[in-house]
Amino acid sequence: VYKRQVKGFKQRKTYLDHLDKNFKLQKYGIDFNNFVSNTKFNDLYKRSKIVINFAENKKNDDVIYQHRVLGRVFDSITFGCLLIDTKYWQIETYYKSNSSYVSYNSKKNLVNKVRYFLKNEKKRVKIVDEAQKYSKNQYICRIIWNNIFQELN
């Protein structure tokens, strides 16, 4: 399942096209003329085993390349999906690669990892469980606010 824009994101489009050749993808968004409500999309999350994130934020050649940690990262873990994302310092401040999420570094590597974790449910579930456990211990509101107040004191 993919819900987002691709127009202007060269790498994202290239990777999606490559994934589409290897797997049956459901694509939603303005570029696909296929829209879905947030409620319906949450239902899709609940049924998905893997969420792939494209963290780059480069629409054109004149925009500086950067990565972003978006809600999708946390949503995928909350809904019990394995998160597969590129490895970048921003995500590593929240989760560790191969412990709470799986990183990829090329189109071929991404396809291989998706195949591997679809076939190896126990390994996929182990990473998902670790990510959910870590999130519950680190990112619940009470803990976040306690950390903020400790920094302020």
Side-chain angles (χ1 to χ4, degrees):
V1 174
Y2 179 78
K3 179 188 175 191
R4 209 160 158 205
Q5 185 178 358
V6 292
K7 186 178 179 184
F9 293 90
K10 293 175 188 173
Q11 182 187 26
R12 187 178 301 170
K13 179 160 179 14
T14 302
Y15 276 60
L16 274 175
D17 289 346
H18 191 69
L19 285 166
D20 215 9
K21 290 177 186 172
N22 290 276
F23 305 100
K24 181 182 175 189
L25 293 181
Q26 297 175 40
K27 295 181 269 189
Y28 301 94
I30 194 166
D31 296 331
F32 309 106
N33 200 27
N34 190 11
F35 301 93
V36 64
S37 70
N38 287 335
T39 302
K40 169 83 171 155
F41 194 68
N42 288 343
D43 289 338
L44 292 169
Y45 262 135
K46 290 175 189 174
R47 293 184 308 207
S48 297
K49 295 178 182 179
I50 295 174
V51 169
I52 300 166
N53 190 44
F54 300 101
E56 88 279 358
N57 185 26
K58 181 182 180 182
K59 286 190 76 170
N60 300 303
D61 292 330
D62 58 342
V63 176
I64 297 172
Y65 186 89
Q66 56 185 314
H67 289 90
R68 304 175 295 171
V69 177
L70 299 173
R72 170 179 317 97
V73 168
F74 302 100
D75 291 345
S76 62
I77 291 168
T78 300
F79 281 109
C81 305
L82 175 67
L83 174 65
I84 301 182
D85 201 344
T86 52
K87 188 174 182 178
Y88 50 101
W89 72 265
Q90 293 93 331
I91 195 169
E92 289 286 316
T93 62
Y94 295 99
Y95 299 105
K96 299 298 175 217
S97 180
N98 298 321
S99 174
S100 298
Y101 81 101
V102 174
S103 61
Y104 66 90
N105 56 24
S106 70
K107 292 183 293 188
K108 183 177 179 180
N109 182 248
L110 174 58
V111 167
N112 288 341
K113 288 187 177 186
V114 170
R115 272 199 188 107
Y116 176 82
F117 284 105
L118 286 175
K119 289 179 183 175
N120 293 280
E121 184 174 355
K122 286 183 183 181
K123 291 182 181 186
R124 179 177 45 79
V125 169
K126 181 180 178 184
I127 293 172
V128 170
D129 287 348
E130 179 63 31
Q132 287 184 319
K133 180 180 164 187
Y134 185 78
S135 291
K136 287 176 184 173
N137 290 328
Q138 294 296 315
Y139 303 125
I140 59 172
C141 291
R142 180 180 45 59
I143 291 172
I144 292 171
W145 282 110
N146 283 342
N147 290 341
I148 291 170
F149 288 127
Q150 282 179 359
E151 287 294 319
L152 293 173
N153 290 328

